């Protein structure tokens, strides 16, 4: 079977399929690239009832288990721990603890039946459920000073750096989420907080651009203009110069400095946002 | 004549997959196709991130960079399917986030009429069944060939055409309802 003709070749639908592309995006590819390369965790499915359900079920289970334990366990009086510890039996290393066999004069020790005589000191008092048992005394032996043991290697050497990276990405993602939801004031504060907390962070460049965008969109054109000037002088941000110029032009329009804005845009490629700035300047004139 | 047995190529090493370069080459179109398949602008970036996470985990399966585009298409389809299943399992989140579908217009020079027409196409695609939507997006919007779609979806070419026929019929029905 031959390939059927595509719908976009239909004269009635051609325009609609061309316009379909206009409804895509926009997306912040640079920020997404940073997230992908940094390996930041993918947000979970926004499933509303899932967590409350899990919390409810686990809470109910815990309550039922508690009630069941309370009903099953004997409710005898709680014996407080003895204030003075009786003389403890001295156990030698290697001595079997169970069964406790005590040598009593006159009684055949080979008899498997426990003697009727009360056992002397080494008898261990039976432990009652629900009571607090005094800690078993330890024979104090003078031992030479032992040096501190070396830390055990669990193969978790990367724990601290990973935790740092995780914390940094969480800070950045909080700012990014606010910006994505157009909560510009919050985004501005979160980007500033990220830059303050992580002055040499891995996403510093992206955060600075994010802060600039948030300043422009949260009606702080003066601060945005000065930040843009500073960023344009930073050689590390040379490859993002066009984005910075565009944001600076938008800030200059807000400051009623359209001539400066148009001059800034001379080196910027034509795009919808550039046209928007030009149109805004035309309207102001 | 002696048959020369080619020396087996060594498996790709983990460190050889440069995620940054892979994103530069494929990130933009993956974002586009993911948004079309899932119907959610707000979700597309997360799904693309998930696709690259899968690519990293299964990097040893990437035998050559020639066929990686098809391989990434397949991963994208599977990631979107998985997300749809999760959402259906825990309630119809799509309906609750309806207002976020493809957001609002962005470019100042994009006429509202054209934007709305593009939006209508998206809305209709979102109404198709998942299987029809996959074929429709890959053939009509991504303009892939039938054999390639069959390989991506792991179905026969004839199944591709039958699903496409149904998807087109459904699309045209909805289009006639909304177009003036």
């Amino acid at each position: 079977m031959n390939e059927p003709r595509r719908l976009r070749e239909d004269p009635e639908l051609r325009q609609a399929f061309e316009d379909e592309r206009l409804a895509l995006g926009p997306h912040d590819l640079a920020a997404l690239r940073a997230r992908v390369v940094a390996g930041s965790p993918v947000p979970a499915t926004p499933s509303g009832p899932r967590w409350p359900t899990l919390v409810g079920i686990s809470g109910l289970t815990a309550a039922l288990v508690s009630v069941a334990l309370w009903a099953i366990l004997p409710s005898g009086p709680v014996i407080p721990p003895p204030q003075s510890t009786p003389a403890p039996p001295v156990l030698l290393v290697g001595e079997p603890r169970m069964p406790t066999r005590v040598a009593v004069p006159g009684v055949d020790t080979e008899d498997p039946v426990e003697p009727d005589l009360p056992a002397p000191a080494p008898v261990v008092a039976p432990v009652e459920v629900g009571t607090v048992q005094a800690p078993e005394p330890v024979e104090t032996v003078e031992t030479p000073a032992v040096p501190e043991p070396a830390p055990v290697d669990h193969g978790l050497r990367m724990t601290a750096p990973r935790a740092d990276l995780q914390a940094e990405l969480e800070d950045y993602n909080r700012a990014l989420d606010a910006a994505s939801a157009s909560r510009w004031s919050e985004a501005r504060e979160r980007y500033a907080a990220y830059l303050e907390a992580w002055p040499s962070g891995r996403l510093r460049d992206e955060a600075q651009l994010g802060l600039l965008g948030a300043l422009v969109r949260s009606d702080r054109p003066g601060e945005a203009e000065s930040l843009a000037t500073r960023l344009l002088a930073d050689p590390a941000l040379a490859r993002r110069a066009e984005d910075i110029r565009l944001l600076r032009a938008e800030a200059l329009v807000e400051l009623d400095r359209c001539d400066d804005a148009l001059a800034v845009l001379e080196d910027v490629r034509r795009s919808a946002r550039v046209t928007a700035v030009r149109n805004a300047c035309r309207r102001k004139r | 004549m002696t048959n020369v047995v080619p020396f087996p190529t060594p498996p790709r090493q983990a460190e050889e997959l440069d995620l940054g370069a892979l994103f530069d080459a494929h990130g933009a179109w993956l974002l586009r196709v993911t948004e079309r398949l899932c119907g959610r602008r707000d979700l597309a970036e997360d799904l693309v991130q998930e696709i690259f996470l899968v690519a990293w985990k299964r990097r040893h399966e990437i035998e050559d960079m020639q066929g990686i585009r098809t391989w990434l298409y397949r991963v994208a389809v599977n990631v979107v399917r998985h997300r749809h299943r999760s959402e259906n399992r825990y309630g119809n989140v799509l309906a609750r986030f309806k207002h976020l579908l493809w957001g609002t217009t962005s470019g100042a020079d994009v006429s509202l009429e054209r934007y709305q027409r593009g939006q209508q196409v998206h809305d209709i695609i979102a109404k198709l069944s998942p299987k029809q939507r996959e074929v429709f997006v890959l053939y009509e919007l991504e303009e892939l060939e039938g054999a390639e779609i069959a390989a991506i979806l792991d179905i026969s070419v004839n199944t591709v055409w039958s699903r496409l026929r149904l998807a087109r019929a459904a699309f045209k029905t909805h289009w006639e309802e909304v177009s003036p």
Side-chain angles (χ1 to χ4, degrees):
Chain A
M1 181 177 170
N2 291 332
E3 300 247 344
R5 209 160 54 96
R6 296 186 197 272
L7 277 186
R8 65 172 65 243
E9 293 168 23
D10 186 333
E12 285 183 17
L13 292 169
R14 187 186 301 140
Q15 191 61 48
F17 275 77
E18 281 177 20
D19 295 342
E20 182 267 343
R21 282 176 173 268
L22 299 176
L24 290 170
H27 295 284
D28 190 347
L29 262 181
L32 179 59
R33 186 187 191 279
R35 278 164 59 189
V36 166
V37 173
S40 56
V42 181
T45 309
S47 51
R50 189 179 187 182
W51 276 109
T53 306
L54 288 177
V55 170
I57 290 170
S58 58
L60 187 63
T61 308
L64 286 174
V65 168
S66 303
V67 169
L69 284 174
W70 179 76
I72 290 168
L73 293 179
S75 56
V78 177
I79 302 170
Q83 294 301 313
S84 59
T85 310
V90 177
L91 297 176
L92 301 176
V93 175
E95 182 182 356
R97 285 170 179 257
M98 293 292 290
T100 306
R101 295 180 65 85
V102 184
V104 180
V107 176
D108 183 9
T109 54
E110 293 303 313
D111 188 355
V113 180
E114 286 291 329
D116 292 328
L117 295 173
V123 172
V124 179
V127 178
E128 283 189 23
V129 179
T131 61
V132 179
Q133 187 187 10
E136 187 178 341
V138 180
E139 184 184 6
T140 53
V141 180
E142 283 295 323
T143 52
V146 180
E148 281 289 315
V152 181
D153 183 4
H154 297 292
L156 297 172
R157 291 193 190 86
M158 291 301 290
T159 301
R162 277 180 194 276
D164 276 359
L165 178 63
Q166 185 72 22
E168 182 189 342
L169 287 172
E170 280 175 7
D171 283 353
Y172 179 81
N173 282 336
R174 271 194 282 271
L176 193 62
D177 289 344
S180 302
S182 302
R183 300 193 303 269
W184 298 114
S185 299
E186 184 191 339
R188 188 186 68 227
E189 288 167 10
R190 291 203 181 279
Y191 276 124
Y194 169 88
L195 289 167
E196 191 180 341
W198 309 96
S200 56
R202 298 164 181 83
L203 297 166
R204 182 178 168 75
D205 294 350
E206 297 301 328
Q208 284 182 316
L209 275 173
L211 175 61
L212 180 58
L215 283 169
V216 170
R217 284 164 182 77
S218 60
D219 294 329
R220 302 278 188 104
E223 291 172 51
E225 206 276 325
S226 61
L227 176 62
T229 309
R230 206 166 65 240
L231 294 183
L232 283 170
D234 185 352
L237 288 167
R239 67 186 180 86
R240 309 299 301 273
E242 197 158 291
D243 294 331
I244 300 168
R245 282 201 192 95
L246 184 51
L247 285 165
R248 185 177 176 220
E250 288 175 352
L252 287 167
V253 171
E254 293 298 314
L255 293 169
D256 289 332
R257 291 166 56 189
C258 281
D259 290 339
D260 292 339
L262 293 174
V264 166
L265 287 180
E266 279 179 2
D267 295 332
V268 180
R269 275 177 298 177
R270 190 174 173 79
S271 68
R273 282 173 65 192
V274 169
T275 309
V277 172
R278 291 184 196 281
N279 288 342
C281 285
R282 202 171 294 132
R283 281 196 297 273
K284 280 181 185 285
R285 282 169 179 168
Chain B
M1 185 180 161
T2 315
N3 285 333
V4 179
V5 179
F7 193 78
T9 48
R12 294 183 57 80
Q13 297 300 308
E15 290 73 21
E16 282 181 31
L17 186 66
D18 183 349
L19 267 184
L22 193 68
F23 185 89
D24 292 340
H26 302 286
W29 71 260
L30 271 174
L31 201 49
R32 183 192 68 217
V33 73
T34 308
E35 187 177 335
R36 283 169 166 166
L37 283 171
C38 77
R40 296 263 304 275
R41 174 185 293 168
D42 61 311
L43 204 56
E45 292 187 14
D46 291 346
L47 291 176
V48 167
Q49 198 182 343
E50 212 166 313
I51 291 166
F52 280 96
L53 190 65
V54 172
W56 173 254
K57 283 181 182 169
R58 294 166 59 183
R59 59 195 177 278
H60 297 291
E61 293 177 21
I62 304 172
E63 290 168 359
D64 60 342
M65 300 307 272
Q66 301 290 329
I68 195 164
R69 193 175 163 90
T70 305
W71 189 82
L72 285 171
Y73 263 120
R74 198 176 301 143
V75 174
V77 167
N78 285 329
V79 164
V80 172
R81 279 180 187 170
H82 178 74
R83 181 58 68 112
H84 276 307
R85 276 199 297 271
S86 304
E87 288 183 348
N88 289 338
R89 198 175 298 139
Y90 297 111
N92 192 357
V93 181
L94 191 68
R96 281 194 284 145
F97 288 86
K98 182 80 178 169
H99 63 287
L100 289 175
L101 288 178
W102 287 296
T104 55
T105 185
S106 53
D109 59 349
V110 176
S111 77
L112 188 62
E113 189 189 352
R114 290 190 63 190
Y115 174 80
Q116 284 174 340
R117 194 161 42 217
Q119 184 81 40
Q120 282 173 344
V121 174
H122 280 175
D123 286 343
I124 293 172
I125 292 170
K127 287 177 185 170
L128 300 178
S129 74
K131 286 180 180 177
Q132 290 178 11
R133 188 190 311 141
E134 286 168 3
V135 173
F136 190 89
V137 166
L138 295 178
Y139 189 76
E140 300 292 357
L141 301 180
E142 293 296 314
E143 299 189 56
L144 300 184
E145 302 301 323
E148 196 176 1
I149 297 171
I152 290 168
L153 300 178
D154 199 18
I155 53 177
S156 70
V157 179
N158 282 338
T159 309
V160 171
W161 299 141
S162 63
R163 284 186 191 173
L164 182 65
R165 195 178 63 248
L166 293 170
R168 281 176 160 185
F171 180 89
K172 282 186 173 172
T173 306
H174 290 304
W175 181 253
E176 282 164 9
E177 288 170 7
V178 297
S179 62

